[in-house]
Amino acid sequence: MSDQTRKSKADNIILDDKEHNLLLDHNYDGIEEFDYPLPAWWVWTFVGGIVFAVFYIYFYNFAGAPSLRDEFKQEMAAIEAVREEQRKLTGNFDLEDFKSWQKGENSMQMAAAVYEENCLSCHEEGGKGDIGPNLTDEYWLNLKEVSPGTIYAFIRVGNEDNGMPAWQDMLSKEELYAAVQYVLSVKGKKLPGKEPQGEKLSQL
Ligand code: HEC
């Protein structure tokens, strides 16, 4: 007897062989159900997931793979090494070297660019001050004496407790020169802006 002619229990729908074989035995108030196999891609993804999980759990829990904390430490150590290198490069201020950099054609342009990109957000247009102090007055919070070297040294390490970043980690030696150059170029302009802070020092 061919299954072709067999009907589902509930209705007059004619099922072919394949459908008939897929029809499950139960019937909920006339609602019947086919038992279609799951698509192969789904099954293999599922199996793959389990296989992956076995290796993953083994690798990270038993085979001594680095934990997230270890990986974090390794990456931080690598970053610290790069910074250390950078610090060595920017460590010494050589006035003659700075002066010869100053004479370069682009020094003023570079000064403006470095300032705009890194300093403007806190020290404002022309250095008139906002979050950071007014750089155009004669008053200084962090210097005891005004010179390219002392300005350089301060910008390099900043004063992070008070909100001035340490630029040694972010700027190259030339960029630090450019930042110093900018500060020197606005110094004494006394732009109206943030009120003077710190000690009045004799300027260069
Ligand atoms: C996130 C804000 C911020 C940025 C960005 C910033 N500064 Fe500052 N800067 C400050 C603050 C705040 C101070 C004051 C620190 C203190 O109170 O000791 C300061 C102080 C200074 C001083 C010393 C002023 C003084 O009176 O002692 C100089 C010079 C200076 N900054 C230059 C720069 C330069 C150049 C850049 C860009 C490379 C820069 N700053 C970027 C916030 C900033």
Side-chain angles (χ1 to χ4, degrees):
M1 187 177 95
S2 159
D3 280 331
Q4 290 281 2
T5 53
R6 289 193 41 192
K7 296 179 178 178
S8 99
K9 292 169 202 145
D11 227 324
N12 288 335
I13 299 164
I14 303 208
L15 304 176
D16 64 20
D17 264 356
K18 186 170 161 243
E19 285 171 331
H20 179 72
N21 290 336
L22 288 169
L23 197 63
L24 290 172
D25 226 13
H26 49 234
N27 178 334
Y28 302 101
D29 290 341
I31 300 171
E32 290 170 273
E33 200 183 357
F34 287 131
D35 182 16
Y36 275 111
L38 288 161
W41 68 262
W42 194 96
V43 176
W44 286 112
T45 308
F46 182 65
V47 172
I50 292 171
V51 172
F52 177 80
V54 169
F55 282 106
Y56 186 90
I57 290 166
Y58 174 75
F59 185 64
Y60 281 105
N61 290 289
F62 305 107
S67 67
L68 279 179
R69 228 168 270 249
D70 295 339
E71 282 180 10
F72 175 72
K73 276 191 202 144
Q74 285 165 9
E75 279 167 29
M76 287 311 287
I79 292 171
E80 198 42 47
V82 171
R83 287 184 173 169
E84 199 53 52
E85 198 56 33
Q86 170 99 344
R87 272 172 217 161
K88 272 190 215 139
L89 285 176
T90 61
N92 301 315
F93 181 80
D94 176 9
L95 189 59
E96 290 314 309
D97 190 44
F98 175 66
K99 281 185 179 160
S100 69
W101 175 88
Q102 262 183 323
K103 285 190 203 116
E105 270 176 48
N106 298 326
S107 58
M108 221 29 243
Q109 254 167 289
M110 193 170 164
V114 166
Y115 183 82
E116 193 180 323
E117 191 167 322
N118 303 287
C119 324
L120 183 72
S121 52
C122 290
H123 290 281
E124 273 293 334
E125 211 65 55
K128 67 187 168 75
D130 179 22
I131 296 168
N134 193 331
L135 300 174
T136 69
D137 57 26
E138 296 171 311
Y139 292 79
W140 295 87
L141 281 167
N142 292 277
L143 304 190
K144 300 243 170 335
E145 180 199 313
V146 186
S147 76
T150 55
I151 296 172
Y152 179 94
F154 174 72
I155 294 173
R156 225 186 119 239
V157 296
N159 185 350
E160 293 191 308
D161 290 342
N162 291 347
M164 168 67 178
W167 292 97
Q168 63 184 353
D169 293 340
M170 292 168 270
L171 300 181
S172 68
K173 187 153 199 164
E174 295 217 319
E175 288 167 330
L176 285 170
Y177 281 171
V180 173
Q181 174 67 14
Y182 190 87
V183 175
L184 292 173
S185 75
V186 297
K187 205 168 59 64
K189 284 191 177 173
K190 299 189 188 144
L191 297 183
K194 196 159 190 189
E195 74 289 350
Q197 292 167 283
E199 304 269 315
K200 184 169 180 177
L201 299 179
S202 64
Q203 308 298 299
L204 266 187

